[in-house]
Amino acid sequence: MKQPIDPIANYEATRRAVGYVPRARADQATYDALGFMSGLEVHQQLLTGQKLFCRCPAGIYQGPDDYDAEIIRHMRPTLSELGEYDGTALMEFKTRKQIVYRIKSRTACTYEVDDTPPFPLNRQALDIAIEIALLSRLKIVGEVHITRKQYLDGSIPTGFQRTAIIGVEGEIPLKRGPVRLIQLSLEEDSCREVSDIGHVRTYRTDRLGMPLIETVTYPDMKNPDEVREACDYIRFLNRSTGKVRTGIGAGRQDVNVSCRGGTRVEIKGVSHTAWIPELTHNECFRQWALLEIRRELLARVPDPAAWKPSSVRVRVLTWGLRSPALRALRERGQIMVAVNLPGFAGALSHFTQPGQCFADELAGRLKVIACLERPNMDHSEAAVPAISAGDWARIKQELTPSDGDAQLVFWGPEEDIKTALETVEERCRMAFAGVPNETRQPLADGTTVFERVLPGADRMYPDTDSKPIPLEDAHIERIRPSVPTEVSARYQQMKTWGVPENCYAYIFTRNLFPVIERVVSELGFGPVFVGTVFGQTLKHIEGHHQTTPDFTYNKVYGLFKYVKEQGLAPEIIRAMLPVLYQHPKMDFESILTSINFKRVAEDEILSKVPFLKEKIRSTRVSTDPSIEPHWIMGQLRTSALGNIGLTGLSKTIEHG
Amino acid sequence: MADDIFQGYKGAGLEVLKKFNVRVWGQAEVETTRGPFQGTVLPRADQDDDRHIVLKIATGYNIGVDIATITAMRETGYKKANYKIPEKQFPVTPGLPAVKLLGTGGTIASRLDYRTGAVIPAFTPGELYGAVPELADICNLTTEKLFAVFSENMGPEQYKALAVAIGREIENGIDGIVIGHGTDTMHYTAAALTFMVQDPPVPIVMVGSQRSSDRPSSDAALNLMHATTAAGHGGIAEVMVCMFGPTSDEYGFLHRGTRVRKMHSSYRSTFRTIGDTPLATVTRAGVKPIKQDFKPRRRDRKAVIRPFFEEKVAMIYYYTNMQPDMIDSLVEHGYKGIIIIGTGLGHVNKPLYPAIERAVAKGVHVFMTVQTLWGYVHMFVYDTGRDLMAKGVVPLENMLPEVAYIKLGWVLGQTRDRDEVRRMMLAPINDDITPREPYNGYLVYQGGVPEVEEFVRKVHK
């Protein structure tokens, strides 16, 4: 008998064999060796009053249990062009999910639940989409065709999303060079999931139908940081129009990743761009690891087509099994099935992602496809087995395995056992082929779990409920003047001004460039000062204080204007800003009072300098010459702030 | 058909395709003032303008290119697509009931041509099996396409042909009949078949769908399963309409053909029984009667087929200030019967009286129903009603207007004798007139009321 697999040692050994390195130690050479490839689908909600295809208000949300009615639907696969059922379609059908929609009268009408055909497309949304498409240098189509894109997970009650291409073939400039854009589409947003337990998936319909654009890039990004850079750029570009929604969930992206020899895998719904590098790094290595597993399996199993697992129902009492976990499952009426996987020894505990091994790929699919809630399985190479070694020995006896086989046990309700067994076999068979096409759900630690089978290409067809909308040159030219300066030009402008780079992310995320530009050009303040007031002072204040809905960035413009008109020294703005932020309705005069500002003539302040010099010289103990001006500045700062430029004052003290 | 290579294109759009020698289904590179576009040229829908050319681009989406912006076009390849529903042999299972699906032209099961958006109906048992494989677990299905007309074009010819076909199927020993039908006029056909096929020994179930089956959330598949279950296994041998109960995918209703009406333009749960409860609910598990007084399934093969219809029958919806010439012109054009849909309890304004008198004098049969749909005609309550009856207008109790129209056509197809027409119209057939209205026959709740809101929140709509 061969030595049994030590799961932890095997995990570590296979991680080394895959060549996994943490992202901090990876460089371009690492990614070139893996053949890293990535593209983006960046979603951005548009700031409109109403939804895209009905007159419900957009942007009003409910809690998960706040609803007026529930509706139940099931999604059936429809036939594809070749008369075959799509892969995802079949999977979703296999799961036999009962989809429950929670409806609130205020935010959803009969359109959202597919009991009324669509109303004409929201023109405000269309014009914003055109504006962003122009900004992305896309070629605007001559006629907008509403298309149905099938989604069978239930996230849209119709079973498809209405979506339309606005522009094709554009580009955005990145540091390394341009990234090409495939297209920009205008589409309706989907439902928000409330829960997905067993055979019931529940959604709320408040977000459903809100206008959204999707910008799709070519897979031009060659390393994880570039993916983030491209994503940030697209998001900043969208926000630069000032016509998109901000806040949680208003911008989300799907990230496509593959390695050489791998497959396009879509990481869906990444809400923070900061997560992208770690997620793409790990996904690329996961695919690399699956290819390694494939190589090892093919070496052991020469004819994968003939590969077949065997299975047996676990009889806890008859076999005298003692593990408390097994006894508890039996008492809950769950069925347990043991499966022998020929040639899979070492594969189950094979590294796939940090903290995950190949067995997790099986557990993920058992949850999603067979609706078995996790924990749903145990296996012969688990680091912490739920089943005792003695029980495992007894179970293996029933399976009569050969050397080099691996075993697993899964459990669930009787009606799901057949699907579960098929799911295990299907996923193991895929291991011989390499990387399955799938969408994966991102986790905060930078790893992912199985979400769905990736839909096929044939899931798009024309919406017979809508007429095409012509886009004439004249219409596009009417929109063009409102298109803002390109983000890249804004980057360049800030660099030329000398605004520190650590301010950029905050400024572009909140689309503050237009207001900064106005303060600089209309009021004549120095751009570095203005840039840091926004990019550092305001950022800091925002992180430490609460504000009210009355606060707008335009009020900060008002503050600059006031300071200029009053002839105050600009530095006082940094002192007034925290008060303005917390009490946006307070007038500027009161803000000055609240920070104990008193008007003092410049001469009066300067006249105190000789006295203070005298004082420090008579009392100081240190011989350091820099002490003197520092101390004097300290004494004068409060009264000087706003009355005299601090830099000038400091120079006067030093030289005067 | 030389023009077929430019399918759907006309006028200026057609000229552009001809000029650059690019065909429909050709892969094209298009140079425009907005930049280059690439894709497969798709057919153009007839009702769309002639200013755009439709392309399917590589990502599967369709876009239109404005011909005013086109500077050059080049065909780089050609690939015509042909689509059909895949046929799979419908399996015959011994022991399952034999059900016949009669097609009228409505598409209960269909799929879209992904490129053009055209609907390809699925109809043969093999096609239906490909689309709804569960049907094979319910019955042994055979199909016959009687005609291909849209719901709104169904009329007397089709009613009669259907009745005859049903009679033939019953004679041949079928266990149940399903009729696929567009939903808009389904209740007219349901009434017609109730009168033309009396006392059938097996269920006759009409079914349609409010969302075509090319949609994943379509009601078509479930409706078909419900209808075949009701036809093959159900014990109610009447003409019925089988459509969604709630808008949720939960259960279907079986409505009596004489009391059913389409009540919403687009809801799935659009069919309602008016003035009574539905006959039964149906799920894949079987039929569960709500009413106890239905006509049960029988083993014999007898049915009375009476395929008659007089086409010169009209239905007029009374509105305030209706002019007498509305009725005079019907009489002038040779109409033999008029159903008035009167206000409230069954009234029209005084200026119409002489016209009604003239009509009756010319032998036209005039009957009264109500716009409220629910409730009875009560012409004794006010003088106006009594006046109208004196002038020969016959109140039809709580018969629904569309049912009254169909019934009058059917009666006048058999007799013109005034007393006999009146007797036949008032002799109830399958509850077209009910002797009483149960308290739960009229339940049109209004939203906003706390107890209704509570109900709606608890019970799936």
Side-chain angles (χ1 to χ4, degrees):
Chain A
M1 184 102 183
K2 261 174 48 178
Q3 197 68 14
I5 302 277
D6 173 349
I8 294 170
N10 186 51
Y11 177 84
E12 290 301 333
T14 52
R15 190 172 70 140
R16 281 193 300 277
V18 168
Y20 182 85
V21 289
R23 193 163 68 87
R25 297 223 313 270
D27 55 20
Q28 191 57 49
T30 317
Y31 299 114
D32 288 345
L34 296 172
F36 180 98
M37 227 181 161
S38 179
L40 284 161
E41 297 166 21
V42 183
H43 300 103
Q44 173 65 58
Q45 289 180 344
L46 306 181
L47 190 56
T48 58
Q50 296 180 341
K51 292 186 177 181
L52 191 57
F53 287 108
C54 67
R55 291 77 177 250
C56 286
I60 296 171
Y61 296 113
Q62 274 97 42
D65 294 317
D66 182 15
Y67 62 93
D68 294 328
E70 286 185 324
I71 284 177
I72 303 240
R73 293 276 153 78
H74 303 96
M75 296 295 154
R76 286 183 73 83
T78 55
L79 296 164
S80 82
E81 281 191 78
L82 301 169
E84 302 289 331
Y85 288 106
D86 182 275
T88 340
L90 265 192
M91 186 201 89
E92 301 287 356
F93 195 51
K94 234 183 215 176
T95 61
R96 292 187 309 275
K97 284 272 183 191
Q98 173 120 313
I99 317 280
V100 180
Y101 296 103
R102 293 191 165 169
I103 304 152
K104 187 87 183 159
S105 297
R106 189 167 171 224
T107 57
C109 65
T110 50
Y111 169 72
E112 277 90 337
V113 291
D114 192 32
D115 267 324
T116 289
F119 296 92
L121 180 99
N122 184 322
R123 289 293 173 143
Q124 189 189 6
L126 179 62
D127 286 355
I128 299 172
I130 293 172
E131 183 177 332
I132 294 174
L134 288 170
L135 194 50
S136 312
R137 301 188 201 168
L138 288 148
K139 280 123 198 115
I140 310 294
V141 302
E143 195 180 46
V144 175
H145 284 246
I146 318 283
T147 301
R148 298 175 179 177
K149 187 177 184 180
Q150 281 200 359
Y151 281 93
L152 290 151
D153 57 3
S155 58
I156 304 183
T158 43
F160 53 77
Q161 180 184 42
R162 289 193 166 89
T163 157
I165 298 292
I166 305 300
V168 298
E169 301 296 327
E171 63 175 42
I172 50 165
L174 288 200
K175 280 184 207 143
R176 187 174 53 80
V179 161
R180 296 169 300 150
L181 302 180
I182 297 176
Q183 63 191 31
L184 183 146
S185 55
L186 174 61
E187 51 193 43
E188 49 186 354
D189 209 340
S190 56
C191 291
R192 295 195 292 156
E193 190 177 296
V194 174
S195 63
D196 183 6
I197 302 160
H199 288 273
V200 181
R201 191 180 291 149
T202 305
Y203 289 105
R204 45 189 146 161
T205 52
D206 47 8
R207 192 183 72 184
L208 176 65
M210 281 173 62
L212 187 76
I213 53 164
E214 183 193 60
T215 308
V216 185
T217 76
Y218 278 93
D220 285 354
M221 280 73 83
K222 301 290 182 222
N223 67 58
D225 291 310
E226 271 183 18
V227 188
R228 182 189 176 172
E229 189 196 344
C231 196
D232 276 335
Y233 192 91
I234 293 167
R235 292 186 69 164
F236 295 161
L237 177 150
N238 291 341
R239 287 180 181 199
S240 72
T241 60
K243 293 169 187 164
V244 302
R245 288 188 184 272
T246 54
I248 296 165
R252 313 185 293 277
Q253 37 276 328
D254 300 340
V255 189
N256 295 308
V257 185
S258 67
C259 72
R260 189 177 307 109
T263 319
R264 182 171 81 92
V265 164
E266 186 175 324
I267 307 170
K268 264 194 120 59
V270 181
S271 45
H272 301 287
T273 59
W275 293 359
I276 290 177
E278 199 66 27
L279 285 166
T280 50
H281 172 88
N282 285 332
E283 174 53 26
C284 193
F285 270 110
R286 189 187 69 93
Q287 296 194 15
W288 201 247
L290 291 176
L291 294 177
E292 178 67 22
I293 294 172
R294 169 180 186 264
R295 215 173 47 77
E296 287 170 23
L297 287 176
L298 287 177
R300 272 184 249 165
V301 182
D303 181 13
W307 184 86
K308 185 84 191 154
S310 59
S311 65
V312 63
R313 293 225 170 178
V314 176
R315 302 184 178 280
V316 178
L317 297 185
T318 321
W319 298 353
L321 305 182
R322 299 190 173 281
S323 298
L326 290 179
R327 299 226 155 203
L329 287 164
R330 191 189 157 276
E331 271 160 35
R332 287 210 302 273
Q334 301 242 316
I335 306 293
M336 281 157 279
V337 174
V339 188
N340 186 59
L341 305 170
F344 267 63
L348 292 181
S349 57
H350 194 290
F351 167 87
T352 51
Q353 304 180 74
Q356 285 192 39
C357 56
F358 181 73
D360 292 294
E361 304 267 323
L362 296 171
R365 286 192 176 232
L366 282 175
K367 155 78 179 108
V368 176
I369 302 176
C371 301
L372 306 186
E373 288 304 314
R374 294 180 81 161
N376 48 26
M377 61 174 268
D378 193 25
H379 58 96
S380 51
E381 297 172 14
V384 189
I387 301 173
S388 71
D391 284 357
W392 262 118
R394 180 68 185 82
I395 291 168
K396 282 182 192 175
Q397 200 181 317
E398 294 291 329
L399 288 168
T400 59
S402 308
D403 280 351
D405 293 356
Q407 297 79 35
L408 63 84
V409 169
F410 66 82
W411 49 80
E414 175 73 59
E415 63 269 26
D416 296 327
I417 295 300
K418 187 168 170 276
T419 309
L421 198 54
E422 286 167 8
T423 303
V424 168
E425 179 173 346
E426 186 183 47
R427 181 62 189 89
C428 287
R429 283 187 181 282
M430 286 173 171
F432 294 104
V435 185
N437 250 190
E438 58 195 35
T439 67
R440 298 186 63 87
Q441 197 185 333
L443 303 178
D445 68 359
T447 63
T448 55
V449 291
F450 175 75
E451 187 176 70
R452 312 235 189 285
V453 177
L454 197 68
D458 294 336
R459 56 175 185 141
M460 231 105 55
Y461 49 99
D463 183 25
T464 44
D465 299 324
S466 319
K467 262 188 81 71
I469 303 162
L471 292 182
E472 284 160 16
D473 281 347
H475 183 85
I476 295 166
E477 292 315 313
R478 268 199 301 280
I479 294 171
R480 206 181 287 277
S482 55
V483 174
T485 337
E486 277 194 52
V487 176
S488 60
R490 293 177 169 186
Y491 261 113
Q492 211 43 55
Q493 177 66 75
M494 297 231 286
K495 268 201 179 134
T496 313
W497 278 340
V499 175
E501 286 213 22
N502 62 18
C503 299
Y504 294 4
Y506 181 82
I507 288 170
F508 287 119
T509 304
R510 283 163 181 68
N511 193 29
L512 296 172
F513 184 87
V515 66
I516 291 174
E517 197 179 31
R518 277 177 64 209
V519 174
V520 172
S521 65
E522 292 173 20
L523 304 176
F525 285 87
V528 176
F529 175 71
V530 182
T532 53
V533 164
F534 280 96
Q536 291 170 354
T537 314
L538 184 60
K539 182 184 175 191
H540 178 84
I541 294 167
E542 212 180 88
H544 291 80
H545 298 286
Q546 297 287 319
T547 187
T548 74
D550 294 311
F551 179 79
T552 62
Y553 296 119
N554 227 13
K555 295 224 179 214
V556 184
Y557 176 87
L559 177 61
F560 275 100
K561 190 158 181 266
Y562 174 81
V563 167
K564 182 186 162 80
E565 282 165 4
Q566 298 295 314
L568 300 174
E571 279 93 347
I572 194 138
I573 289 172
R574 293 194 206 268
M576 293 173 76
L577 201 49
V579 186
L580 175 69
Y581 185 77
Q582 294 173 81
H583 310 284
K585 282 183 154 168
M586 197 186 271
D587 61 71
F588 296 126
E589 201 59 46
S590 311
I591 293 178
L592 284 175
T593 312
S594 79
I595 59 168
N596 297 318
F597 172 77
K598 286 188 187 63
R599 277 178 204 272
V600 185
E602 205 173 313
D603 290 351
E604 198 184 325
I605 296 166
L606 290 176
S607 72
K608 290 181 180 156
V609 175
F611 164 76
L612 288 168
K613 275 191 176 169
E614 198 56 38
K615 193 172 173 190
I616 182 150
R617 280 172 191 168
S618 64
T619 55
R620 76 169 172 203
V621 283
S622 168
T623 51
D624 183 350
S626 71
I627 291 275
E628 185 182 301
H630 270 127
W631 184 82
I632 299 175
M633 269 304 281
Q635 297 297 306
L636 294 177
R637 177 180 290 275
T638 314
S639 58
L641 189 65
N643 288 313
I644 180 170
L646 295 181
T647 321
L649 176 62
S650 156
K651 280 196 180 127
T652 313
I653 295 167
E654 273 181 53
H655 305 111
Chain B
M1 289 251 293
D3 275 345
D4 206 31
I5 57 167
F6 299 117
Q7 226 177 316
Y9 285 92
K10 60 196 173 198
L14 179 62
E15 289 312 308
V16 169
L17 287 180
K18 281 183 173 165
K19 179 177 161 196
F20 293 110
N21 217 359
V22 176
R23 295 164 289 176
V24 166
W25 304 117
Q27 276 129 19
E29 289 173 4
V30 188
E31 297 296 330
T32 78
T33 53
R34 294 184 192 177
F37 294 92
Q38 275 184 35
T40 305
V41 177
L42 293 188
R44 182 110 175 129
D46 293 336
Q47 61 272 33
D48 289 343
D49 68 29
D50 67 346
R51 312 295 312 163
H52 299 87
I53 286 166
V54 190
L55 294 181
K56 176 168 283 283
I57 59 175
T59 49
Y61 287 86
N62 294 356
I63 62 167
V65 179
D66 188 339
I67 56 165
T69 66
I70 294 177
T71 54
M73 256 181 115
R74 205 161 66 86
E75 187 179 289
T76 58
Y78 181 85
K79 198 182 171 204
K80 187 174 161 99
N82 256 327
Y83 304 98
K84 62 185 189 81
I85 304 259
E87 287 223 33
K88 290 183 185 167
Q89 185 66 38
F90 196 100
V92 175
T93 312
L96 286 183
V99 171
K100 185 84 173 199
L101 173 67
L102 298 176
T104 63
T107 54
I108 337 160
S110 61
R111 57 163 290 253
L112 277 179
D113 180 326
Y114 281 68
R115 306 231 169 158
T116 62
V119 175
I120 308 171
F123 188 73
T124 68
E127 289 167 344
L128 283 173
Y129 179 60
V132 192
E134 294 97 324
L135 293 177
D137 300 330
I138 299 171
C139 63
N140 292 320
L141 189 72
T142 49
T143 62
E144 184 184 348
K145 192 183 263 174
L146 291 178
F147 20 81
V149 296
F150 288 119
S151 171
E152 62 269 26
N153 296 330
M154 287 291 291
E157 283 317 307
Q158 288 76 27
Y159 303 151
K160 287 189 266 186
L162 261 173
V164 171
I166 290 168
R168 195 178 59 232
E169 291 301 329
I170 291 171
E171 239 171 68
N172 292 343
I174 203 80
D175 293 314
I177 294 166
V178 174
I179 298 160
H181 201 290
T183 55
D184 282 0
T185 64
M186 196 191 282
H187 52 302
Y188 288 86
T189 308
L193 293 181
T194 309
F195 300 128
M196 293 182 182
V197 182
Q198 292 189 20
D199 292 319
V202 298
I204 298 166
V205 186
M206 302 197 59
V207 70
S209 73
Q210 283 289 85
R211 292 292 168 282
S212 58
S213 66
D214 49 69
R215 300 170 175 237
S217 66
S218 167
D219 54 340
L222 200 52
N223 275 332
L224 259 180
M225 287 183 244
H226 289 159
T228 46
T229 301
H233 301 272
I236 306 174
E238 297 188 20
V239 175
M240 297 171 280
V241 165
C242 174
M243 291 287 286
F244 264 35
T247 181
S248 287
D249 287 359
E250 293 201 316
Y251 59 87
F253 274 137
L254 293 179
H255 302 276
R256 221 160 224 158
T258 51
R259 295 233 62 88
V260 64
R261 199 169 187 284
K262 190 177 183 185
M263 298 303 286
H264 194 280
S265 63
S266 54
Y267 251 77
R268 286 164 171 73
S269 51
T270 177
F271 283 92
R272 302 281 104 172
T273 289
I274 307 289
D276 203 343
T277 64
L279 271 170
T281 57
V282 56
T283 63
R284 288 175 67 187
V287 172
K288 208 166 135 194
I290 295 172
K291 288 182 75 74
Q292 299 309 319
D293 59 334
F294 55 81
K295 295 187 172 160
R297 181 191 281 275
R298 303 190 311 270
R299 289 181 170 278
D300 66 65
R301 295 284 121 198
K302 288 179 215 142
V304 186
I305 309 296
R306 300 167 80 177
F308 311 108
F309 205 91
E310 166 55 58
E311 296 197 17
K312 285 291 195 183
V313 172
M315 176 161 63
I316 55 173
Y317 195 98
Y318 175 74
Y319 48 88
T320 54
N321 198 34
M322 181 183 269
Q323 302 294 306
D325 55 4
M326 289 291 289
I327 288 173
D328 288 336
S329 57
L330 286 176
V331 177
E332 270 168 38
H333 285 90
Y335 277 78
K336 311 276 190 294
I338 298 172
I339 301 292
I340 299 175
I341 312 172
T343 59
L345 299 166
H347 298 135
V348 295
N349 64 355
K350 273 230 163 79
L352 288 189
Y353 288 9
I356 288 170
E357 275 174 0
R358 287 193 289 275
V360 173
K362 288 217 167 171
V364 178
H365 305 268
V366 185
F367 291 87
M368 181 66 76
T369 60
V370 289
Q371 294 175 2
T372 56
L373 301 178
W374 273 273
Y376 291 76
V377 185
H378 289 283
M379 297 181 71
F380 287 104
V381 178
Y382 297 105
D383 285 349
T384 47
R386 285 189 283 253
D387 288 348
L388 277 170
M389 287 198 295
K391 294 177 196 320
V393 176
V394 181
L396 281 178
E397 307 258 1
N398 67 344
M399 194 184 293
L400 294 170
E402 295 89 344
V403 175
Y405 155 74
I406 292 287
K407 192 174 189 182
L408 187 55
W410 175 71
V411 168
L412 290 177
Q414 301 170 75
T415 177
R416 293 287 161 77
D417 179 81
R418 181 163 294 275
D419 291 338
E420 182 60 5
V421 169
R422 184 190 167 103
R423 189 196 63 77
M424 285 178 78
M425 285 302 285
L426 289 171
I429 296 175
N430 272 34
D431 281 352
D432 58 356
I433 292 171
T434 63
R436 54 194 286 273
E437 184 183 8
Y439 74 94
N440 57 358
Y442 173 66
L443 293 177
V444 182
Y445 285 146
Q446 296 274 278
V449 183
E451 58 268 33
V452 173
E453 292 297 329
E454 196 189 327
F455 172 80
V456 170
R457 193 176 198 276
K458 272 194 197 145
V459 180
H460 294 147
K461 267 190 68 171

